Amino acid sequence: MPRTDRDGNPRQTSPRSSSCTDSGAALASTFGDHVTAPAWRAKPTYYQVSAEDRMIHPDNERRMAARMNPRKTIELDAGHASLASRPADVCELIELAVRETGA
């Protein structure tokens, strides 16, 4: 199914692609903008650790989760693209967050 990139150029995606794994490169400003008030300090958080992640070490994920003090943390036997490989588990966490926060 043809889609377009941020510049409007057509690109091909596989039928199995999802928006989370097919979103293109991050904007350059993502790495240069200064965050003054991270949302996780004021809003409820939920965290999912990918135990087999080889892009972000799982110990770093656990440290990030601890810093956020989430209401719930789950750990999945999954790699970096856990949303694609374990969608039901990730959806359960999201649904829990919706139920608990009334979002």
Side-chain angles (χ1 to χ4, degrees), residues 76-100:
L76 301 178
D77 185 24
H80 191 70
S82 56
L83 184 56
S85 65
R86 301 285 298 273
D89 296 308
V90 175
C91 284
E92 283 181 29
L93 182 63
I94 293 168
E95 289 170 347
L96 173 67
V98 169
R99 284 192 306 274
E100 289 187 353

Side-chain angles (χ1 to χ4, degrees), residues 11-83:
R11 75 178 157 175
Q12 295 292 326
T13 59
S14 104
R16 299 182 73 196
S17 292
S18 70
S19 61
C20 71
T21 58
D22 189 35
S23 58
L27 297 173
S29 63
T30 302
F31 303 104
D33 290 348
H34 182 68
V35 176
T36 57
W40 55 263
R41 286 195 177 142
K43 298 182 183 266
T45 59
Y46 296 76
Y47 204 94
Q48 180 259 305
V49 173
S50 294
E52 301 298 320
D53 198 328
R54 291 195 277 170
M55 294 188 73
I56 301 172
H57 196 283
D59 288 343
N60 287 339
E61 294 179 23
R62 291 180 195 103
R63 277 191 287 275
M64 288 185 283
R67 184 175 181 201
M68 292 178 178
N69 192 27
R71 289 185 177 186
K72 171 99 176 167
T73 300
I74 63 170
E75 189 156 326
L76 301 178
D77 185 24
H80 191 70
S82 56
L83 184 56

